[in-house]
Amino acid sequence: MKISQIFFLSLKNLADRKIRSILTISGVCIGFGFIVYLLSLGYGVEKLTTDQISSPDTLSIFEISLSEDGESRAIDDKNIAEIGNINNVEHVEAAAILPASINVGPVKNDTIVKAYTRKFFELEELKIINGRLFIEDDSREVLITKGLQKILNISDNESFFPALDVKIMTNLALSPTNESDDLILIKSLKVVGIIEDDSPSVIVPFKTVRSSIDLVNYNVARVKVIDANNLTETRRQVEKLGFSTNYIGDTVSQIKSFFNIFRFILMGFGIIAMIVALLGMFNTLTVSLLERTQEIGVMKSLGAKRKTIWWLFISESLIIGFLGGVLGIIMGNIAGKATNTIFNFYALQNGGRAVDFFYTPIYLVLVMLILSILVGLITGLYPAKRAVKIKLLDAIKYE
Amino acid sequence: MINNKISDNVVLGRMDSHNLIIQVGNIDKDFEVATEYIKVLHNITLTILEGEFIIITGPSGCGKSTLLHTISGWEEPTFGNVLLFGEDIYAKDEEERAIFCNKKMTMVSQKSYWVNSLNVLENIALPYLISGYNKKEASKKAMQLLNLLELEELAYYKPADLSGGQQQRINLLRALINNPDIVLADEPTGNLDSLNTTFVMDLFQKINKDLKRTVIVVTHNPNFLDFATRVIIMKDGRIADTILNEPNFVSTKPVGDILDLKKHGLKIEKKDWLK
Ligand SMILES: Nc1ncnc2c1ncn2[C@@H]1O[C@H](COP(=O)(O)OP(=O)(O)OP(=O)(O)O)[C@@H](O)[C@H]1O
Ligand SMILES: [Mg+2]
């Protein structure tokens, strides 16, 4: 008997016992759906976090900052040159971050000024969502964050971007020649772009700031290495020189290991649901075997081979497993997307941000599909083996 | 009545190697019941010629069904052997035997058993599908068979919803779809009224007379004994007597296809009971 015909026969049999088939398939579907839902949630939240690593370059850059206790070495031109001489260092770029207030016409607001070079901007991998970067490191152009744009109520239309005045509060550590807490005014800086960031700050070209303030020390620098695999070693060398460093890779691996445990726990719940579903499926197949003893006898009396009888049961459980799996993947996804949408709806209403914390990697779908087929095969093995063993005459001779 | 030993010799005397279709040789069958063995068949020897119509009869429990099952390849004898077209079927393993026997013969049972999820057409087509034909060929053939008995309107019913008479006709069609050389039947009319009984027995006779198929029917019904070329009467697991209805029976080869019955003037009288 052709395999396609055996599958057809199994489908007929499942259709003949509709309610039971639907219940069984639903059970498997819920099991798979639950696993897909939970795992996708785990992957989604992880992705949300690790997505902050925007490019492969991210992992070859680390940051030098001033330690909280003030013990670390100052970041100045001489020290930067020293770091630049370390093997494996491709480039070092420094920047200064200073408290400030800004004026746009009559509106005044406290904010932070970030004195960045174009190069530093690039190394920080900031994302411009509207407009462009300043042209030169001494241009009288600035970028503002989305957070500040909101506060100042600035339109999204580039041609309406205003000019602003900044008043920078000097700092002895950075500019020892200035008076402490002096307010240095830099007038009419044209806003040319908006960057994706919810905290309010202004990015001013580095040299534009330095022409007004006598900057000697900086409070942050970024180091790009040639070979990211040796970054740890380079970073150690830099720390030996007395600097404190941060590396996003640290956070990423922490997040990864956290989510591995998280997924494991979610998986545990899913597996419990799955086991319940499998018991249901096994029960259905066993009952089906008992009910169909006579049919197996008929098939045998009409010349069906053992292989045919075996496939008859395996195909039935494969169909249940596969349908349950496919529906489960779909249901898990729909449920996840729905949760996400409802969450975002409330988040947006309460002034939050819409995020995708639900993500099903394609390989998860494939693994689940293969798993559903395996599950079908394995649950079918025992009933199939018993069906093959049924003796023709035992099955049909006596009622 | 002629003694069993003599009659078998009579048959043997008229045989040549070509027309021996079934040879049952010195068969014993013991069944294990609790710790005891019960002998159900005692040293049965039976030679059947191609084209014969054999009726096996005898009191209940005398071993008729068991004998038929040993011939069909379903029940291995404790002792002795069964040759089908000269081949010892119990020398083959179970799977080979099933394939070999199903190619040559078919069994019609008293009660019809169905694959319940399939309709009439699909049930009839089943042996054809099992033989490896595709669905289209099988459905076509099954429909032709339904047409033969003018039962097309039952094609899409579930067999279990039909009357006993209708079911037995469908059962017959299913048994015949592979165009077997030998038709075995175990009390095929046991559950039927006299109209249906006559129809079924007439059909067996036609299959034997017109298509020259070998037919072996187990029956309690004494009304049709003269359809047979030979009547075998069993008692307590032995052949007690043989009636030779055609002492000069000449063996024949099968001709044509089951569907040819129409050409041979198969008459169907549509009766109310078909509804
Ligand atoms: N599988 C079995 N196990 C034990 N005993 C069996 C088995 N099959 C048949 N028998 C016994 O063998 C004897 C013959 O049975 P069989 O069915 O061949 O009789 P029969 O002539 O066909 O009877 P009936 O006319 O009632 O159908 C009976 O006593 C029966 O109980
Ligand atoms: Mg019987």
Side-chain angles (χ1 to χ4, degrees):
Chain A
M1 197 162 176
K2 293 194 165 67
I3 284 279
S4 59
Q5 287 312 310
I6 297 176
F7 270 90
F8 174 75
L9 201 56
S10 292
L11 278 176
K12 278 266 179 181
N13 185 60
L14 287 171
D16 207 44
R17 297 161 162 83
K18 260 190 207 69
I19 305 230
R20 193 168 72 200
S21 304
I22 289 172
L23 286 178
T24 313
I25 292 172
S26 309
V28 179
C29 165
I30 289 170
F32 273 96
F34 208 50
I35 292 184
V36 169
Y37 180 83
L38 292 176
L39 285 185
S40 298
L41 189 67
Y43 279 112
V45 178
E46 181 183 356
K47 188 164 182 285
L48 200 62
T49 330
T50 53
D51 263 359
Q52 293 175 4
I53 303 167
S54 42
S55 79
D57 268 357
T58 310
L59 291 177
S60 62
I61 296 168
F62 66 90
E63 195 182 71
I64 297 175
S65 58
L66 297 173
S67 67
E68 303 270 319
D69 54 17
E71 297 280 301
S72 58
R73 257 171 90 178
I75 307 171
D76 58 20
D77 288 337
K78 186 175 135 272
N79 288 341
I80 282 175
E82 188 179 348
I83 294 166
N85 284 335
I86 295 175
N87 261 342
N88 196 29
V89 170
E90 190 186 303
H91 190 84
V92 192
E93 191 78 12
I97 297 171
L98 297 154
S101 66
I102 52 166
N103 282 59
V104 183
V107 185
K108 183 172 177 281
N109 210 83
D110 286 336
T111 184
I112 287 170
V113 159
K114 295 179 173 179
Y116 280 12
T117 57
R118 284 172 62 90
K119 182 70 182 175
F120 193 92
F121 187 91
E122 181 191 304
L123 290 178
E124 198 168 318
E125 299 184 307
L126 293 172
K127 207 170 130 216
I128 298 177
I129 52 173
N130 200 355
R132 59 170 173 84
L133 186 55
F134 42 81
I135 308 266
E136 298 292 345
D137 286 343
D138 56 2
S139 305
R140 295 192 69 82
E141 297 173 333
V142 294
L143 291 109
I144 60 170
T145 60
K146 206 169 112 192
L148 191 60
Q149 180 195 16
K150 230 179 196 164
I151 293 169
L152 299 176
N153 214 353
I154 293 171
S155 108
D156 276 332
N157 188 333
E158 258 180 83
S159 44
F160 293 121
F161 283 169
L164 45 81
D165 303 337
V166 294
K167 235 184 237 164
I168 301 173
M169 193 181 286
T170 58
N171 175 331
L172 265 179
L174 300 191
S175 48
T177 53
N178 286 94
E179 287 279 320
S180 184
D181 294 343
D182 249 7
L183 292 176
I184 310 281
L185 179 68
I186 308 175
K187 282 191 86 108
S188 52
L189 297 168
K190 170 87 175 131
V191 175
V192 292
I194 314 285
I195 58 168
E196 172 79 59
D197 186 348
D198 288 329
S199 63
S201 63
V202 186
I203 298 182
V204 185
F206 189 78
K207 287 181 179 165
T208 310
V209 174
R210 199 149 69 173
S211 63
S212 310
I213 304 174
D214 184 25
L215 272 181
V216 176
N217 295 323
Y218 318 114
N219 44 9
V220 59
R222 292 193 151 243
V223 179
K224 182 158 199 283
V225 298
I226 297 163
D227 179 5
N229 295 323
N230 289 329
L231 184 135
T232 319
E233 173 57 29
T234 313
R235 198 177 151 198
R236 247 218 334 266
Q237 281 174 283
V238 171
E239 279 174 358
K240 243 192 216 152
L241 293 175
F243 298 100
S244 81
T245 62
N246 312 307
Y247 177 47
I248 189 137
D250 293 347
T251 331
V252 170
S253 49
Q254 273 168 14
I255 290 168
K256 279 239 159 84
S257 62
F258 169 73
F259 279 108
N260 276 339
I261 296 169
F262 186 52
R263 261 204 305 277
F264 224 71
I265 295 167
L266 295 181
M267 187 84 163
F269 283 116
I271 284 173
I272 292 169
M274 198 67 216
I275 288 173
V276 174
L278 289 193
L279 288 178
M281 183 168 163
F282 189 74
N283 179 56
T284 299
L285 289 168
T286 315
V287 172
S288 170
L289 171 73
L290 295 177
E291 282 178 358
R292 290 163 80 194
T293 303
Q294 209 175 69
E295 288 186 18
I296 293 164
V298 175
M299 298 278 294
K300 286 197 167 182
S301 76
L302 298 176
K305 293 179 200 166
R306 270 173 297 193
K307 205 176 73 185
T308 305
I309 306 293
W310 190 83
W311 268 109
L312 200 59
F313 277 80
I314 292 293
S315 62
E316 186 167 329
S317 82
L318 279 180
I319 291 169
I320 295 176
F322 187 70
L323 279 183
V326 170
L327 291 176
I329 292 167
I330 294 172
M331 296 299 275
N333 251 289
I334 292 176
K337 293 270 150 64
T339 315
N340 207 341
T341 309
I342 292 169
F343 180 87
N344 280 341
F345 177 74
Y346 284 107
L348 287 176
Q349 267 199 345
N350 297 315
R353 200 155 57 97
V355 289
D356 281 334
F357 55 84
F358 190 85
Y359 170 66
T360 319
I362 195 80
Y363 90 86
L364 179 65
V365 173
L366 291 181
V367 166
M368 285 294 140
L369 282 182
I370 291 168
L371 195 68
S372 73
I373 292 170
L374 270 182
V375 153
L377 189 70
I378 290 166
T379 9
L381 281 178
Y382 175 73
K385 199 174 127 197
R386 282 203 18 200
V388 168
K389 279 196 182 146
I390 289 174
K391 287 250 174 344
L392 194 169
L393 277 173
D394 293 341
I396 60 169
K397 194 171 169 190
Y398 303 103
E399 279 127 70
Chain B
M1 289 203 185
I2 301 161
N3 181 281
N4 136 40
K5 282 272 157 43
I6 299 166
S7 74
D8 214 55
N9 285 337
V10 171
V11 173
L12 288 171
R14 286 181 286 119
M15 78 185 189
D16 60 57
S17 60
H18 300 300
N19 57 23
L20 276 180
I21 195 160
I22 294 164
Q23 294 161 274
V24 176
N26 305 99
I27 274 187
D28 281 358
K29 178 68 195 177
D30 301 339
F31 279 116
E32 191 182 350
V33 178
T35 51
E36 277 177 77
Y37 280 93
I38 297 177
K39 209 173 227 10
V40 172
L41 297 179
H42 295 265
N43 194 26
I44 293 202
T45 296
L46 179 63
T47 308
I48 297 168
L49 301 179
E50 206 163 12
E52 275 201 275
F53 190 137
I54 305 277
I55 287 180
I56 303 174
T57 186
S60 187
C62 69
K64 306 181 293 293
S65 296
T66 307
L67 175 60
L68 206 63
H69 293 151
T70 59
I71 293 174
S72 69
W74 293 2
E75 189 99 84
E76 185 162 4
T78 314
F79 183 80
N81 52 33
V82 176
L83 306 188
L84 180 65
F85 290 95
E87 284 193 48
D88 185 347
I89 59 175
Y90 291 102
K92 300 173 188 293
D93 75 22
E94 201 187 319
E95 187 107 340
E96 258 182 273
R97 187 194 323 145
I99 295 167
F100 179 71
C101 293
N102 269 287
K103 233 183 256 165
K104 304 293 184 188
M105 62 187 169
T106 191
M107 170 78 87
V108 181
S109 48
Q110 171 176 351
K111 187 178 174 292
S112 330
Y113 299 108
W114 308 108
V115 172
N116 297 317
S117 57
L118 299 183
N119 63 29
V120 165
L121 188 75
E122 290 161 338
N123 265 290
I124 295 177
L126 195 54
Y128 224 51
L129 290 174
I130 287 173
S131 319
Y133 288 97
N134 67 32
K135 192 166 160 59
K136 208 173 153 196
E137 294 165 321
S139 300
K140 187 177 162 212
K141 180 83 176 183
M143 206 42 147
Q144 287 170 333
L145 284 165
L146 278 169
N147 174 270
L148 181 72
L149 298 192
E150 297 180 11
L151 296 172
E152 298 98 318
E153 67 243 50
L154 300 184
Y156 302 105
Y157 281 76
K158 286 286 168 74
D161 295 337
L162 303 179
S163 74
Q166 289 169 326
Q167 286 195 43
Q168 195 59 317
R169 283 159 209 246
I170 309 291
N171 191 13
L172 272 166
L173 292 180
R174 179 177 66 183
L176 296 174
I177 191 168
N178 272 324
N179 207 20
D181 289 342
I182 306 166
V183 180
L184 310 179
D186 194 353
E187 302 187 42
T189 60
N191 288 340
L192 303 181
D193 61 15
S194 66
L195 265 171
N196 280 302
T197 299
T198 310
F199 178 86
V200 168
M201 290 308 287
D202 280 348
L203 194 67
F204 280 122
Q205 195 183 35
K206 282 197 144 314
I207 289 168
N208 174 252
K209 280 253 154 60
D210 299 331
L211 305 179
K212 312 291 185 204
R213 298 306 200 271
T214 308
V215 175
I216 306 174
V217 177
V218 169
T219 180
H220 286 292
N221 194 323
N223 299 337
F224 300 93
L225 295 187
D226 54 343
F227 281 20
T229 54
R230 223 184 334 162
V231 179
I232 289 167
I233 300 157
M234 288 183 67
K235 208 173 208 169
D236 296 334
R238 297 168 213 270
I239 296 179
D241 259 315
T242 301
I243 305 168
L244 272 181
N245 284 339
E246 289 184 45
N248 299 317
F249 172 79
V250 180
S251 185
T252 50
K253 290 278 170 203
V255 289
D257 182 270
I258 296 301
L259 293 173
D260 295 338
L261 279 175
K262 205 155 224 169
K263 275 193 263 171
H264 292 289
L266 178 73
K267 284 244 161 50
I268 312 285
E269 288 188 38
K270 284 236 168 182
K271 295 272 190 317
D272 294 346
W273 47 257
L274 260 183
K275 290 292 162 219

